Amino acid sequence: MRSISIFGATGSIGESTFDLIQRAGGPAAYRTVAVTGARNVARLAEMARELRAEVAVTADEALLPDLRAALAGSGVEAAAGAAALAEAADRPADWVMSGIVGAAGLVPGMRALRHGRTLALANKESLVTAGPLLMATAAAHGATILPVDSEHSAVFQALTGEDAGAVERVIITASGGPFRDWPLERLARATVAEAKAHPNWSMGNRISIDSASMFNKALELIETREFFGFPPEMIEVLVHPQSIVHALVGFRDGGVMAHLGPADMRHAIGFALHWPDRGHIPVERLDLARLGSLSFEAPDDRRFPALRLAREVMALRGLAGAAFNAAKEIALDHFMAGGIGFLDMAAVVEDTLERLSAEVALTSPVGTLEDVLAMDHLARTRAGELALKRKEGGRAWN
Ligand code: NAD
Ligand code: MG
């Protein structure tokens, strides 16, 4: 029986993973080693009981007593805190879902790779902050990384059996989010509730807002570069409001392979779970005749400065990815808390990169995990200062 662990089990990716495991037979089909979450310990304990996990870990140490109480009599161990999260990744499991949101997913993912595991990577922030290190660690320890982001799973599938040397370009699609048609003046006043309302996908709050600002696509450009190794000029973004075509790969003979599927993350998660086989996955089947038409348009860089910033970060490489992601996370925190406006998020990220490039060498190669975490910390501090300055200078919209 295969063994699995789910990091970020209580999130949107985690729930979809749990659903697939349960439909396959739950504990009768897979042995669950660890499930982890942050604040929702009631749901975490429920999942751990249903899957008969070895251990349930909450990132929040203050919630350990609650988790213990919720697991009483279940035989599931309870643990809490960052060290416990990392230790959970040391426990042997054949397949590990990296479904934590943000840079917090980096350490557990790295630990799993050091043990040579198969890591289903939804946590794109790991590749953005420490791409070269992550890929080198996987190679050094015989570990496998399978992309779970829908666009990257799509590229991976389109490349299967192909010669990577014959690839001319890779195109990842973006829905354009809820603000695709909004005039710029209105964008400045967009609220958190409006930004959270993604037209096609049901996802966690943070990635939904990142989709509205295109910071999600910016992270995905870097993710494509780091995971597949294609140079930035070969990677394009195409706006496709229906979210049916997830990515396209163009070859030197002019042929283009596209990957299509419903907007349901269980496809990409299930693909990684069954890989290298193709298993049955209970997602809705595409009915193109009913859909009628699919449309495409070029992204508007003025509306979405995040894409331009991602290009700058890809040109710098080194520790710029860690700085970019951390600044983005802080800018998003401030927007969600009502401190800064929607367009201020990109401004805070840009100001942070500018400030940091005068202070440190952003292009230093990603040497160790400690280098990455130090840059992450510094960028958070600077972005926090710059966001507060912007808050004092402007007005809060939410
Ligand atoms: P979510 O917010 O729904 O869930 C995040 C999970 O991480 C939860 O279990 C939460 O408890 C946990 N968590 C949050 N902060 C933590 C911390 N500091 N330490 C440890 N655990 C913490 O997020 P999501 O939408 O499921 O996204 C998860 C990851 O997958 C993100 O990297 C996201 O970019 C990526 N992703 C998500 C989707 C999607 O459809 N939701 C699609 C593609 C990629
Ligand atoms: Mg995606």
Side-chain angles (χ1 to χ4, degrees):
M1 192 186 277
R2 278 173 89 204
S3 55
I4 62 152
S5 284
I6 310 174
F7 285 79
T10 54
S12 167
I13 289 286
E15 285 285 359
S16 292
T17 308
F18 176 77
D19 178 74
L20 288 174
I21 300 294
Q22 285 294 65
R23 283 168 191 264
Y30 293 92
R31 189 169 66 76
T32 299
V33 178
V35 286
T36 85
R39 278 165 294 277
N40 191 351
V41 292
R43 179 65 185 140
L44 181 64
E46 196 174 76
M47 290 171 134
R49 281 175 184 273
E50 286 189 34
L51 295 175
R52 297 194 207 124
E54 257 176 41
V55 64
V57 188
T58 163
D60 188 342
E61 283 182 45
L63 294 175
L64 183 58
D66 295 359
L67 182 61
R68 275 216 180 99
L71 286 171
S74 67
V76 181
E77 271 174 65
L85 264 184
E87 279 158 23
D90 289 337
R91 298 192 183 216
D94 300 318
W95 187 89
V96 177
M97 166 51 72
S98 170
I100 290 176
V101 65
L106 178 61
V107 169
M110 281 287 288
R111 291 279 273 259
L113 291 176
R114 282 184 192 145
H115 294 290
R117 316 257 195 265
T118 295
L119 188 70
L121 190 69
N123 180 262
K124 63 194 81 183
E125 295 89 346
S126 304
L127 278 166
V128 173
T129 54
L133 188 62
L134 210 72
M135 299 309 282
T137 304
H141 297 276
T144 303
I145 303 178
L146 296 170
V148 170
D149 217 342
S150 54
E151 298 76 4
H152 305 75
S153 175
V155 173
F156 186 87
Q157 294 182 51
L159 282 172
T160 300
E162 300 286 356
D163 168 13
V167 173
E168 212 168 53
R169 59 188 180 142
V170 172
I171 303 167
I172 57 173
T173 62
S175 69
F179 304 149
R180 188 171 55 90
D181 301 322
W182 282 33
L184 266 178
E185 319 76 75
R186 193 172 162 208
L187 263 187
R189 290 186 301 275
T191 65
V192 171
E194 287 165 335
K196 273 199 304 212
H198 197 281
N200 307 326
W201 296 91
S202 149
M203 309 183 285
N205 286 340
R206 298 183 71 88
I207 182 175
S208 296
I209 299 173
D210 282 350
S211 296
S213 63
M214 285 266 199
F215 265 111
N216 181 49
K217 214 48 56 179
L219 297 179
E220 290 182 0
L221 274 173
I222 304 170
E223 183 186 10
T224 308
R225 196 256 171 275
E226 297 298 340
F227 184 77
F228 296 102
F230 296 120
E233 57 278 12
M234 276 173 63
I235 312 168
E236 300 166 28
V237 172
L238 181 66
V239 173
H240 166 45
Q242 297 83 14
S243 301
I244 297 293
V245 178
H246 302 307
L248 308 96
V249 178
F251 295 91
R252 66 176 166 224
D253 59 3
V256 176
M257 302 293 287
H259 177 275
L260 286 73
D264 184 334
M265 284 309 292
R266 291 177 305 170
H267 171 74
I269 297 167
F271 176 83
L273 183 62
H274 294 292
W275 183 87
D277 299 329
R278 282 216 183 248
H280 175 83
I281 302 174
V283 293
E284 191 193 335
R285 272 29 183 176
L286 266 192
D287 183 345
L288 289 174
R290 188 164 55 84
L291 275 166
S293 61
L294 301 176
S295 58
F296 303 92
E297 59 196 67
D300 177 351
D301 272 9
R302 271 180 326 134
R303 187 183 303 271
F304 301 116
L307 296 180
R308 172 177 54 78
L309 293 173
R311 298 259 170 219
E312 289 172 17
V313 168
M314 286 195 286
L316 292 169
R317 224 170 162 217
L319 291 168
F324 178 66
N325 179 69
K328 192 280 296 174
E329 289 193 27
I330 294 297
L332 177 59
D333 288 344
H334 282 263
F335 172 66
M336 290 176 84
I340 60 172
F342 184 75
L343 293 176
D344 289 331
M345 286 193 283
V348 166
V349 173
E350 185 158 21
D351 290 352
T352 306
L353 290 174
E354 209 167 281
R355 177 71 62 89
L356 286 173
S357 57
E359 249 180 79
V360 289
L362 279 178
T363 50
S364 310
V366 180
T368 63
L369 193 53
E370 288 65 38
D371 297 340
V372 175
L373 297 176
M375 178 56 77
D376 177 272
H377 181 75
L378 180 64
R380 279 172 203 273
T381 309
R382 291 292 171 272
E385 292 160 3
L386 290 161
L388 278 182
K389 225 166 127 186
R390 214 158 251 281
K391 180 180 174 181
E392 284 154 14
R395 54 162 284 209
W397 297 107
N398 298 301

